[in-house]
Structures are given as C-alpha cells and as structure tokens.
Amino acid sequence: MEFLYFPEDKSEYLPGIISVIVIILLSALIFRLLMKASKKEVENLEQQGFSASSQYQVGGSSAEYKKVADARESEDTVQQSKDNRIPPEE
C-alpha cells in the first residue's frame, strides 16, 4: 500500500495542519463579510421602499417561513374574496 504515506517524523504533519487552519479561518472571515454585506444591502433596499419579509432574513426557521407563507396566503384569499364580490345593482 504505497498510496498511503504515514511519516515517521510527525513534524511533516505541520504544514497540512497549518493549511487547514488558515483555510478554515479565511472561510469564516469571508462568511462574516458576506453576511454583513447582505444585511447592509437589505437595509438599503428597505430605505428605498422595498420590504424584506422574514422568510429572506438570515436565521429564519422553516416554521417562521411557514407562518409568513400562511399569512400571505390568507391575505391573498381575503383580497380575492373582496375582488370577487358582486357589485350592487343600481
């Protein structure tokens, strides 16, 4: 089994461990930067008059998403029933 190489000198593991640690730290930093940029973008859109519902906010659970979807569906149903009313005859 020459494709597996386990060195006798354990100091040969250091470059690999350091690389993994650096990659994890950089990915965490990039993730945080993207989260901050996304929040700023949502705030800018809200200032321009767009509404950001809770289903698009970070950290929203599927239960929250279902509540928002159910609320929107009930609003749509009420609006459709208002639109489908028969106008009074004159």
Side-chain angles (χ1 to χ4, degrees):
M1 287 194 201
E2 294 199 19
F3 63 93
L4 292 176
Y5 171 69
F6 297 102
E8 294 294 325
D9 183 18
K10 301 303 179 191
S11 65
E12 292 184 33
Y13 288 120
L14 286 176
I17 292 171
I18 292 171
S19 298
V20 168
I21 291 172
V22 168
I23 288 172
I24 289 173
L25 291 176
L26 285 175
S27 62
L29 176 68
I30 291 171
F31 181 76
R32 293 203 51 162
L33 289 174
L34 288 173
M35 293 288 288
K36 286 183 181 181
S38 176
K39 286 181 183 179
K40 285 182 184 179
E41 198 168 321
V42 167
E43 290 172 2
N44 288 338
L45 288 173
E46 286 177 345
Q47 288 176 354
Q48 293 175 3
F50 294 99
S51 65
S53 65
S54 64
Q55 71 181 3
Y56 298 115
Q57 292 178 353
V58 176
S61 68
S62 61
E64 290 174 0
Y65 175 77
K66 181 154 179 46
K67 286 179 188 176
V68 170
D70 290 343
R72 286 187 178 166
E73 186 175 312
S74 65
E75 287 174 5
D76 290 343
T77 305
V78 169
Q79 184 62 34
Q80 286 176 356
S81 66
K82 286 180 181 178
D83 292 342
N84 293 335
R85 288 187 192 159
I86 298 173
E89 294 181 16
E90 293 180 12

